[in-house]
Amino acid sequence: FEHIKVIFFDVGDTLYTSEEMEKEYPRQLVKLLAKTRNIEKDVAKQLLKETTEKLKVTERHVTKVRAMRELGFTRAQVHEEFCKVDPLQFLTKDPELDRVISRLAKKYQLGIISNFKRSHMIAIFSALGLSEQQLSLMITEDILQEIKPHPEPFQKAVELSGYDARECLYVADSPTKDIHPAKEVGMMTILVKANPEPDDMKFADANITNVKELEILF
């Protein structure tokens, strides 16, 4: 990775891990679905699950936005619900993560590639005790026509960086939503995952179990 100039990060399950926070996003969608369809939450939850599973038969990675679109909801409606999730209820400041990011920021440009809105990203940074100035290259839902796993977010990240794709590194947890499309646009990739399967590593240049292990590589 000696030629790397810029490091982009995924957010959820990469910069932090919170199972309860991850569960809260679909909970918000279930509430929306139940309210608009005038059905019970359990019925709405099952409908969302069945829709997602059906799409997985033909699509490589099914986002919550994609599943809700199949049920007649816009991306804007989905993200309005996502923004109702308060990171302060689920995340705490992480001084060790801040130290790692601060050290990397002295040598590299840093940024994030996220399917969240910028406002929600800033709320997450605040909850974690991170500086948005250090992660200043922000590719978020607000500035994209298409979100991950579409190649557009990764192409825009490379464009925003001002460097060649091979000089950009992407650190993320999902082989299908993150690593594969990043590699397709020419970025270097590091998968954040414990005990990855061989297929998980197909498009990854390296593997770490926690983002803080970047200190070892850099």
Side-chain angles (χ1 to χ4, degrees), residues 46-169:
Q46 185 62 27
L47 179 58
L48 181 57
K49 180 181 178 181
E50 289 175 356
T51 302
T52 302
E53 292 303 317
K54 184 177 178 181
L55 287 169
K56 283 181 179 177
V57 175
T58 56
E59 299 185 21
R60 187 171 69 197
H61 187 98
V62 180
T63 63
K64 298 175 184 68
V65 169
R66 176 67 183 92
M68 290 296 282
R69 186 171 78 224
E70 194 74 5
L71 292 167
F73 295 88
T74 66
R75 194 168 97 189
Q77 287 175 299
V78 171
H79 280 278
E80 185 178 339
E81 297 306 309
F82 284 174
C83 286
K84 293 177 182 177
V85 177
D86 181 5
L88 287 171
Q89 292 185 7
F90 304 96
L91 305 176
T92 56
K93 293 191 187 307
D94 189 338
E96 187 182 354
L97 176 62
D98 181 46
R99 181 178 59 78
V100 171
I101 294 296
S102 296
R103 195 175 75 79
L104 289 171
K106 292 176 182 177
K107 187 176 178 182
Y108 306 95
Q109 288 191 57
L110 303 182
I112 56 99
I113 304 175
S114 174
N115 283 353
F116 287 136
K117 282 189 172 296
R118 182 185 178 92
S119 60
H120 193 57
M121 265 316 321
I122 291 172
I124 289 173
F125 286 169
S126 178
L128 290 171
L130 298 179
S131 165
E132 62 181 280
Q133 282 73 36
Q134 291 176 329
L135 293 151
S136 59
L137 300 177
M138 295 181 66
I139 305 299
T140 55
E141 186 269 346
D142 318 63
I143 62 171
L144 299 168
Q145 292 296 317
E146 300 288 345
I147 57 175
K148 300 185 293 184
H150 193 277
E152 185 195 344
F154 305 96
Q155 292 165 343
K156 191 163 286 271
V158 172
E159 179 186 327
L160 184 64
S161 77
Y163 290 100
D164 291 336
R166 62 187 180 83
E167 296 176 294
C168 299
L169 172 67

